[in-house]
Amino acid sequence: MKIDRTILPFFGNNLLEEIEKQASVREFPRGTEILREEQYIKVLPIVLKGLVKVITHFEDKELLLYYIEPAQSCVMTFYGALRNTPSKIFAVTEEDSLILLIPVQFLPAWLKEFPDFNELFYNQYNLRYAELLDTIGHLLLNKMDRRLYDHLKKKSFLNNMNPVKMSHNQIANELGTAREVVTRVLKKLETDGKVEQTKDGIKIISEW
């Protein structure tokens, strides 16, 4: 198996050679659940192409935690794999994706042998912590209209599409709110000239 090494430029040649010998690459269509809650983790994913959504459930709501973009992995999967504990999250492909799958039995040795492998996960922890702080800031400082607008902007950027094709219910799940709240706030954003709801989705028409 050969990997496009330009996607993972932070990995040295020795580590990449080990990965090419021991890991596999698979294509997953959009909407594929690649990890579910309470499942024991057998492989560590690194996204090479596409986008993966990481979510959890709280009571009857689905909550978005973060997205895994190309050249990124999942810190919660990494922790669960090292500790051999059941997954606390669901991971679903947001679009057609190409994913590198590393068998978890190689992780302890590679973390000791290859500093560049450690660096990937230090960077991932730092990234997710920064996102967490940003989310807390949104919750404390921004009203729902700004939170919803920023969420649509991020989805538009990650999926490279405008309009954004999402139902009101999907948005509500990802923001941890009610569908009725999303419907009301979208109407306000339309009135304010920020977005336009069309048959093709929600179109962002002006900056905040």
Side-chain angles (χ1 to χ4, degrees):
M1 176 200 67
K2 287 293 182 182
I3 299 173
D4 181 355
R5 298 189 176 196
T6 62
I7 300 174
L8 303 171
F10 40 80
F11 283 168
N13 288 332
N14 291 338
L15 175 56
L16 284 169
E17 287 172 5
E18 284 297 308
I19 289 174
E20 289 178 343
K21 284 192 296 185
Q22 307 295 352
S24 61
V25 174
R26 282 188 57 189
E27 294 183 355
F28 293 90
R30 178 183 179 183
T32 302
E33 184 181 82
I34 62 174
L35 183 66
R36 66 180 182 274
E37 199 172 41
E38 298 302 321
Q39 175 184 341
Y40 279 88
I41 299 158
K42 303 299 183 184
V43 292
L44 178 75
I46 299 178
V47 175
L48 301 178
K49 182 181 179 182
L51 190 67
V52 174
K53 178 171 66 174
V54 177
I55 59 178
T56 188
H57 287 138
F58 181 74
E59 295 180 347
D60 61 339
K61 292 188 181 298
E62 174 188 291
L63 300 177
L64 173 68
L65 296 178
Y66 49 84
Y67 291 100
I68 309 174
E69 300 177 54
Q72 295 180 0
S73 187
C74 177
V75 291
M76 297 189 72
T77 301
F78 177 67
Y79 179 83
L82 283 179
R83 298 292 182 179
N84 193 32
T85 57
S87 169
K88 298 181 182 299
I89 54 93
F90 293 85
V92 182
T93 53
E94 183 83 352
E95 56 189 56
D96 294 346
S97 300
L98 186 69
I99 301 178
L100 174 67
L101 302 172
I102 299 176
V104 297
Q105 63 264 30
F106 296 107
L107 297 185
W110 287 3
L111 287 169
K112 293 178 181 178
E113 186 174 353
F114 303 109
D116 38 348
F117 198 55
N118 280 276
E119 185 176 348
L120 168 67
F121 292 101
Y122 287 138
N123 290 339
Q124 294 300 292
Y125 276 112
N126 182 62
L127 173 65
R128 303 311 172 199
Y129 185 69
E131 289 178 342
L132 174 62
L133 292 178
D134 185 57
T135 298
I136 292 172
H138 272 292
L139 291 172
L140 293 175
L141 301 176
N142 294 330
K143 295 181 179 179
M144 180 56 73
D145 56 350
R146 181 60 187 266
R147 285 181 59 205
L148 199 159
Y149 176 86
D150 286 347
H151 188 65
L152 292 173
K153 284 279 288 187
K154 184 172 184 178
K155 295 283 285 194
S156 177
F157 172 76
L158 290 174
N159 292 286
N160 192 29
M161 65 170 61
N162 189 23
V164 178
K165 297 180 180 179
M166 293 184 72
S167 69
H168 291 193
N169 196 56
Q170 285 176 299
I171 297 170
N173 282 337
E174 294 192 357
L175 290 178
T177 187
R179 180 186 58 79
E180 294 79 7
V181 172
V182 170
T183 299
R184 184 174 68 251
V185 173
L186 279 172
K187 287 181 179 177
K188 179 180 184 301
L189 289 173
E190 275 194 300
T191 301
D192 293 343
K194 302 297 184 187
V195 305
E196 179 183 2
Q197 298 187 76
T198 72
K199 60 180 179 62
D200 296 318
I202 304 167
K203 186 175 182 180
I204 299 167
I205 56 177
S206 71
E207 294 297 324
W208 190 267

